[in-house]
């Protein structure tokens, strides 16, 4: 809790944080900052689809991991009805472990692929 000034109630926790952020925002607004609007970067000009395709080409195992995660979650939801005598919590834990395992496996393969591409497949000058 902050110490209150004379005639003010003490402000602590979330309200104190909010008050300090608002005062910081006022300081930023009153400060003269140079704005350079002449800068044009090509990364801001590309749309969502082309950015996703470019990122997928740079790291191909990321979309594979995302698709595998979505497939395991969909399979788990489909099998939710026919889980038999298995408890709900156990079924959800198994699906979580499977999804996390697939994502960690895809990340590991992606890291190995990027290491191979950078260290072994790189042509020597």
């Amino acid at each position: 809790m902050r110490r209150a000034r004379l005639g003010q109630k003490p402000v602590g926790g979330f309200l104190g944080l909010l008050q300090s952020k608002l005062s910081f925002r006022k300081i930023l607004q009153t400060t003269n900052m140079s704005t350079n609007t002449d800068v044009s970067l090509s990364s801001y000009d590309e749309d969502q689809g082309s950015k996703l395709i470019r990122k997928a080409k740079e790291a191909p195992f990321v979309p594979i991991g995302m698709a595998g995660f979505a497939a395991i979650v969909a399979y788990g939801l489909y099998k939710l009805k026919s889980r038999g005598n298995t408890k709900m919590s156990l079924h959800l834990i198994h699906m979580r472990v499977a999804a996390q395992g697939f994502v960690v496996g895809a990340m590991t393969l992606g890291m190995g692929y990027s290491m191979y591409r950078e260290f072994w497949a790189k042509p020597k000058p």
Side-chain angles (χ1 to χ4, degrees):
M1 187 181 297
R2 288 193 310 172
R3 177 177 267 185
R5 293 183 188 152
L6 193 60
Q8 288 183 343
K9 292 182 181 177
V11 179
F14 178 72
L15 291 176
L17 180 66
L18 184 63
Q19 188 179 25
S20 65
K21 280 190 172 190
L22 289 175
S23 63
F24 182 70
R25 186 171 286 159
K26 285 180 184 178
I27 292 170
L28 284 178
Q29 288 174 351
T30 58
T31 310
N32 289 335
M33 299 176 126
S34 65
T35 57
N36 188 0
T37 57
D38 298 336
V39 177
S40 174
L41 298 175
S42 63
S43 64
Y44 292 115
D45 295 337
E46 67 183 351
D47 60 341
Q48 296 274 335
S50 62
K51 185 176 182 178
L52 180 66
I53 291 171
R54 180 178 56 85
K55 291 283 188 178
K57 286 179 182 176
E58 290 174 5
F61 286 95
V62 171
I64 292 171
M66 291 168 54
F69 177 80
I72 290 172
V73 168
Y75 176 75
L77 289 174
Y78 174 73
K79 284 294 187 179
L80 195 62
K81 291 181 182 177
S82 63
R83 68 181 189 273
N85 290 335
T86 308
K87 288 183 177 181
M88 171 75 88
S89 62
L90 189 62
H91 177 74
L92 292 175
I93 288 172
H94 286 169
M95 290 300 109
R96 179 185 64 95
V97 168
Q100 283 180 335
F102 192 88
V103 169
V104 168
M107 288 172 55
T108 304
L109 288 174
M111 187 60 92
Y113 175 71
S114 67
M115 286 175 59
Y116 169 76
R117 197 173 53 185
E118 187 165 331
F119 294 116
W120 290 288
K122 193 175 191 181
K124 300 196 180 201

